[in-house]
Amino acid sequence: MALWGKGDARWIVEEREDAKNVNNWHWSEVDASVPSKKFFKEKFLELGESGTEGSVRISEVTKCDGEASVNNRKGKVIYFFEWNIELKWCGKTATSNDNITGKIEIENISEENSEDDVDITTRQTKNGNEHTKLHQIVKSQLAPKCRAIIGDYIKYLQVTHGKQVVLPTKKGEGINSQPSKSKAAPPMSSIKQKMSETVISSKPTESVENKRTDINLNDGFLCRVDDLFHCFVNPDKMKAYFNGAADVDPREGGKFSMLGGMISGTYLEIKPNESIQWHWRFNDWPANTYSTVTLKFKDTGSSTELTLNQVGIPQYSVEQIKSGWYKYYFNAIKRTFGYGSGTL
């Protein structure tokens, strides 16, 4: 047993009186989907605008589809979210008592896009001079306010849910613990970049980094073998279930990078509809550390069975990698293409 205050820094319990998730090392996750929907509903229903031509307001959030999660990995907070929202607007002009309506569609809200990259489309329900007058107010005044709410949502995730996955140490370090800076940081172009700040540095010791282990996973998909196989070699399909965050050269020796470089590697071997082998790494692994991933595809008659073997994973990263395969590959493929089936 290590002496008090000695040994692997992750396990020095004195860093937290309750000894929970010491140094914020372990993977932790908060599902922020339900509170996010509440946030959007409250914020959008507050929007309204009036002027000499008339007044408009958001009367209903007719669609709010998506999900959000906040994760802590070794003291680093990572945010994943994807939303598509539809709003109903209504109003009256200064010269008419008719109730005029339309809608606002907000698409591509994700950690990969800045609020300026989010697509906002406004529409009017009917044609006519009075309808057009109010539609112009919506386009010029309500739409920019909707975009500002998307920016507020980023801060909301950081402040409200980021604190839930990073526990403060005895020194008071936590989600807001940032080193002092003599000058402002340069502007960042995407939400993902804004949220990739290191909260607590807790690098494993060399002996821990050098420990390796293997995992074996399998899952079933309601599709043909070739359909599932193409989900791992077809760039368009991979971009679809990674929400665009995939750069793939699907040939032996070809490189790949997913989730903004979080996952990267090389195709080592491709046997159509039979197997794929990758040189695969996660971006926070030690430099030049790669695992070998082998995917095997089997036609069971009514479905396709996928077997995954991954060799050479840093031991501290095992649970994180297991959950990542299901969340960002297997379940994402089922959700995107309708190949849903229970885990085998």
Side-chain angles (χ1 to χ4, degrees), residues 309-322:
N309 171 251
Q310 188 168 6
V311 178
I313 303 171
Q315 195 171 62
Y316 64 83
S317 190
V318 169
E319 294 306 316
Q320 171 191 2
I321 297 303
K322 282 183 180 179

Side-chain angles (χ1 to χ4, degrees), residues 57-241:
R57 63 181 178 87
I58 301 299
S59 60
E60 185 180 354
V61 178
T62 53
K63 183 176 79 172
C64 188
D65 294 340
E67 60 181 351
S69 63
V70 184
N71 309 280
N72 162 48
R73 185 185 76 248
K74 296 199 304 180
K76 187 173 183 179
V77 180
I78 307 170
Y79 303 76
F80 295 104
F81 55 90
E82 181 179 2
W83 296 100
N84 288 306
I85 296 172
E86 185 178 290
L87 311 172
K88 179 181 178 181
W89 62 264
C90 66
K92 296 181 179 181
T93 65
T95 58
S96 173
N97 286 324
D98 292 341
N99 188 39
I100 297 171
T101 62
K103 64 181 180 179
I104 300 174
E105 297 171 346
I106 309 173
E107 300 178 320
N108 298 325
I109 305 171
S110 81
E111 76 279 355
E112 295 294 328
N113 299 320
S114 72
E115 56 265 42
D116 295 328
D117 296 327
V118 170
D119 297 326
I120 299 181
T121 304
T122 63
R123 306 182 191 277
Q124 58 193 65
T125 304
K126 297 180 180 179
N127 293 324
N129 187 47
E130 302 298 316
H131 292 265
T132 301
K133 284 180 181 179
L134 291 191
H135 186 205
Q136 290 301 318
I137 296 176
V138 172
K139 288 174 65 176
S140 63
Q141 299 181 53
L142 277 193
K145 289 184 176 182
C146 289
R147 198 176 296 279
I149 286 176
I150 303 306
D152 292 340
Y153 175 64
I154 305 165
K155 299 173 186 176
Y156 161 78
L157 284 180
Q158 290 175 318
V159 173
T160 304
H161 298 292
K163 290 181 178 179
Q164 293 179 260
V165 294
V166 175
L167 302 175
T169 67
K170 68 177 183 179
K171 298 177 182 179
E173 297 170 322
I175 187 67
N176 293 320
S177 297
Q178 298 293 332
S180 59
K181 299 178 181 179
S182 57
K183 49 187 175 182
M188 293 175 281
S189 60
S190 73
I191 291 175
K192 187 171 184 179
Q193 287 173 303
K194 292 178 183 178
M195 293 182 160
S196 64
E197 301 169 344
T198 299
V199 180
I200 298 173
S201 177
S202 51
K203 185 73 172 176
T205 63
E206 184 177 354
S207 61
V208 173
E209 286 183 340
N210 288 335
K211 292 182 179 180
R212 301 283 182 267
T213 192
D214 308 337
I215 61 171
N216 292 283
L217 305 173
N218 60 334
D219 206 351
F221 299 78
L222 293 176
C223 63
R224 300 180 309 181
V225 170
D226 60 329
D227 289 330
L228 183 60
F229 183 85
H230 281 101
C231 289
F232 295 90
V233 296
N234 184 297
D236 291 334
K237 281 198 167 187
M238 297 182 78
K239 287 179 181 178
Y241 66 83

Side-chain angles (χ1 to χ4, degrees), residues 1-15 22-23 25 202-208 211:
M1 179 179 292
L3 295 175
W4 181 263
K6 303 291 185 181
D8 190 336
R10 293 176 298 158
W11 312 115
I12 299 177
V13 180
E14 62 179 335
E15 287 298 320
V22 180
N23 278 336
W25 182 260
S202 51
K203 185 73 172 176
T205 63
E206 184 177 354
S207 61
V208 173
K211 292 182 179 180

Side-chain angles (χ1 to χ4, degrees), residues 49-56 91-95 134 137:
E49 195 63 48
S50 60
T52 57
E53 295 290 340
S55 60
V56 293
K92 296 181 179 181
T93 65
T95 58
L134 291 191
I137 296 176

